[in-house]
Amino acid sequence: GMAMLEGQPGLAAPRFEAAAGAGHAGAQRSLGFLLEHGQGVASDRPRAVELYRRAAEGGDPEGCFNYATHLLE
């Protein structure tokens, strides 16, 4: 996430996409955040929630929180 921290989510998104596809829970959560908020990528809330679910199943605490938050809506 250095590119995201530096305010360049468009550069971070492809890296998160690759790592998320490889099963990295933190990347799934981070990509979900970008998709949920339309930062650097087109907004896609259903996909964001699915990525949060996968992150939660992979043991990512923030992914678990984000997924639970969407389940309560």
Side-chain angles (χ1 to χ4, degrees):
M2 218 39 194
M4 194 163 99
L5 294 175
E6 294 171 6
Q8 299 178 21
L11 295 178
R15 294 183 180 126
F16 289 146
E17 185 78 58
H24 187 280
Q28 291 166 342
R29 181 232 324 129
S30 294
L31 181 59
F33 181 87
L34 295 180
L35 288 163
E36 179 181 3
H37 298 283
Q39 294 184 3
V41 292
S43 181
D44 186 343
R45 193 159 178 196
R47 184 159 180 241
V49 174
E50 172 61 17
L51 284 163
Y52 290 151
R53 181 189 65 76
R54 289 171 47 198
E57 289 175 351
D60 183 80
E62 290 178 55
C64 188
F65 176 83
N66 291 349
Y67 184 56
T69 299
H70 285 281
L71 290 177
L72 295 173
E73 291 179 344

